[in-house]
Amino acid sequence: MAPDQPRRRADAERNTETILAAARGFLAQGTLPSMSEVSTASGVGRVTLYKHFATREVLLEAVVRRAIADTDDALSELSLDTGPVEDALKRLVRTSWPILDRHRKVRTVALTAIGHEALRAHHDPAFRHVDQLIARGQDTGAFRSDLSRAWLTAVFYAILHAAADEVDAGRLTSDAAADSLIQTLLATLRPARQRPTPKSS
Amino acid sequence: MAPDQPRRRADAERNTETILAAARGFLAQGTLPSMSEVSTASGVGRVTLYKHFATREVLLEAVVRRAIADTDDALSELSLDTGPVEDALKRLVRTSWPILDRHRKVRTVALTAIGHEALRAHHDPAFRHVDQLIARGQDTGAFRSDLSRAWLTAVFYAILHAAADEVDAGRLTSDAAADSLIQTLLATLRPARQRPTPKSS
């Protein structure tokens, strides 16, 4: 290893952070920046920028991956594998909603730019927590087992992001969202009631 | 009105239909076609094509609007405003799921090209049926009223489209989707149970 390699690596990491922060700044405003705009905003020259991120899509995915890694870190600290499952679900929503809410506009832009399935694939680290919680709920009988874990995880993901879309569209307040989410998610996850014969509608 | 105006209008309508059918053909394969490709596939010259649809986005939105108008027509025939609300919901899902399933790939491409909120806005005619059904359920006490109608409609939309995404990704079969949907939607819509003190997790 050349003697100046560690310093070069530190420079590279600093550049990466600066570029990501500049790109995130645009996305948080709901704007998809050009590579030129990122170069100008970050003060990192175009040649260096392209060396780190070959295309705007690669840069965008890196911003998304970082946001999800932050969510993953936050969820890892919640001890979701201990205590009553419903309480764990409430902790999970109360912690992940503000993070998702903060990243709402990044998500909207990313969804348009990289597509739903690619975005969902990036979410896998964060959704591991949901998946494990649903598995524990099904094992202990707290959650329904007549619907598959994969489906319940997909529904969980859809409802969580529906809240972000509703806040984005001005149809739901961010403050009200966490409670609505918890009630809605619990309704989908709890075991189905035995319903004898429906009396009326 | 010039004497040949009706014929011109008939020509224009036929061209529109031919163009829409060609564009839908690409989208149904999950491909976003260029205007040239639509021109070639439809046999409608580029000048005429651009006269009908000024941009590819306008064309894409017309395809989406047509698909949703078809759904709207199908749902209008279901008499969703009569009989037990839960039965009406089952009719709605059993009718709308196959249509949504058929349009899955169009939706995936459209989502990437025109964005989530624009796509949702186009759904308004079809979602009027959902909205009215939820309103009737809340009025009669069949559905929960502690969560807003707007939120429950958004959740309904999110869950329905989660099923399309799961089928698209190969994680759910199209045949199993309708039953999973009905059970999941009923769980979110039925009044919340009184839960005294949770015994355990």
Side-chain angles (χ1 to χ4, degrees):
Chain A
M1 190 186 278
D4 60 348
Q5 196 134 345
R7 191 164 58 78
R8 276 202 203 154
R9 191 176 304 148
D11 285 351
E13 273 171 24
R14 199 167 43 244
N15 279 336
T16 302
E17 293 306 315
T18 309
I19 294 164
L20 287 176
R24 193 164 45 238
F26 283 100
L27 296 170
Q29 310 295 320
T31 306
L32 187 62
S34 67
M35 291 296 264
S36 295
E37 287 172 320
V38 173
S39 170
T40 306
S42 64
V44 174
R46 285 173 59 94
V47 172
T48 308
L49 172 58
Y50 278 99
K51 203 153 59 185
H52 286 284
F53 301 99
T55 65
R56 182 171 73 168
E57 192 175 80
V58 170
L59 171 57
L60 185 57
E61 296 204 3
V63 173
V64 169
R65 206 160 41 235
R66 173 64 60 89
I68 290 164
D70 289 349
T71 313
D72 185 28
D73 290 348
L75 299 185
S76 296
E77 288 172 10
L78 293 180
S79 309
L80 296 177
D81 53 347
T82 57
V85 172
E86 291 204 357
D87 292 349
L89 179 132
K90 290 174 190 169
R91 288 202 299 279
L92 188 154
V93 173
R94 296 215 181 280
T95 298
S96 58
W97 167 251
I99 300 174
L100 178 61
D101 188 40
R102 207 158 57 233
H103 294 316
R104 260 190 298 124
K105 288 198 182 295
V106 174
R107 178 175 166 271
T108 306
V109 177
L111 199 56
T112 307
I114 69 176
H116 172 86
E117 197 57 29
L119 192 57
R120 172 166 163 144
H122 284 299
H123 277 78
D124 278 353
F127 269 74
R128 197 172 31 85
H129 299 282
V130 174
D131 192 59
Q132 286 170 355
L133 187 66
I134 291 175
R136 184 159 79 91
Q138 288 185 321
D139 287 347
T140 60
F143 292 162
R144 63 193 304 165
S145 293
D146 59 331
L147 295 172
S148 75
R149 175 152 54 115
W151 169 244
L152 292 176
T153 303
V155 168
F156 193 107
Y157 178 90
I159 292 175
L160 200 59
H161 288 98
D165 291 329
E166 290 301 290
V167 172
D168 225 21
R171 287 184 293 262
L172 180 69
T173 66
S174 180
D175 287 348
D179 282 333
S180 295
L181 274 172
I182 288 170
Q183 291 180 62
T184 308
L185 292 169
L186 285 177
T188 61
L189 292 169
R190 285 173 176 161
R193 267 168 285 188
Q194 298 303 320
R195 291 173 74 89
T197 40
K199 285 184 292 291
S200 85
S201 62
Chain B
M1 189 186 278
D4 61 345
Q5 197 134 349
R7 192 166 57 82
R8 275 202 204 154
R9 192 177 302 148
D11 285 352
E13 272 172 23
R14 199 170 41 246
N15 278 335
T16 302
E17 292 307 314
T18 309
I19 294 165
L20 286 177
R24 192 164 45 238
F26 284 99
L27 296 170
Q29 309 295 321
T31 306
L32 187 61
S34 67
M35 291 296 264
S36 295
E37 287 171 321
V38 173
S39 171
T40 306
S42 64
V44 174
R46 285 174 59 94
V47 173
T48 308
L49 172 59
Y50 277 100
K51 204 152 61 185
H52 285 285
F53 302 100
T55 65
R56 183 171 72 169
E57 191 174 81
V58 170
L59 171 56
L60 185 57
E61 296 204 1
V63 174
V64 169
R65 206 160 41 235
R66 175 63 62 88
I68 290 163
D70 290 348
T71 313
D72 185 27
D73 290 347
L75 299 185
S76 295
E77 289 171 9
L78 294 179
S79 308
L80 295 177
D81 52 347
T82 57
V85 172
E86 291 203 358
D87 292 349
L89 179 130
K90 289 173 191 170
R91 287 203 299 283
L92 187 152
V93 172
R94 295 215 183 279
T95 298
S96 58
W97 167 251
I99 300 174
L100 178 61
D101 189 40
R102 209 158 56 232
H103 294 315
R104 259 190 300 123
K105 287 198 183 296
V106 174
R107 180 177 164 268
T108 306
V109 177
L111 200 56
T112 306
I114 70 176
H116 172 87
E117 196 58 28
L119 193 58
R120 175 170 159 141
H122 284 299
H123 277 78
D124 279 353
F127 269 74
R128 196 171 32 86
H129 299 282
V130 175
D131 192 58
Q132 287 170 356
L133 187 67
I134 291 175
R136 184 158 79 90
Q138 287 186 322
D139 287 348
T140 59
F143 292 162
R144 63 192 305 167
S145 294
D146 59 332
L147 295 172
S148 76
R149 176 153 54 114
W151 170 244
L152 291 176
T153 303
V155 168
F156 193 107
Y157 179 90
I159 292 175
L160 199 60
H161 287 99
D165 291 330
E166 290 301 289
V167 172
D168 225 22
R171 287 185 293 261
L172 180 69
T173 67
S174 180
D175 287 348
D179 283 333
S180 296
L181 274 171
I182 287 170
Q183 291 179 61
T184 307
L185 291 169
L186 285 177
T188 61
L189 291 169
R190 285 173 176 160
R193 268 168 285 188
Q194 299 304 319
R195 290 173 74 89
T197 39
K199 286 185 292 291
S200 86
S201 61

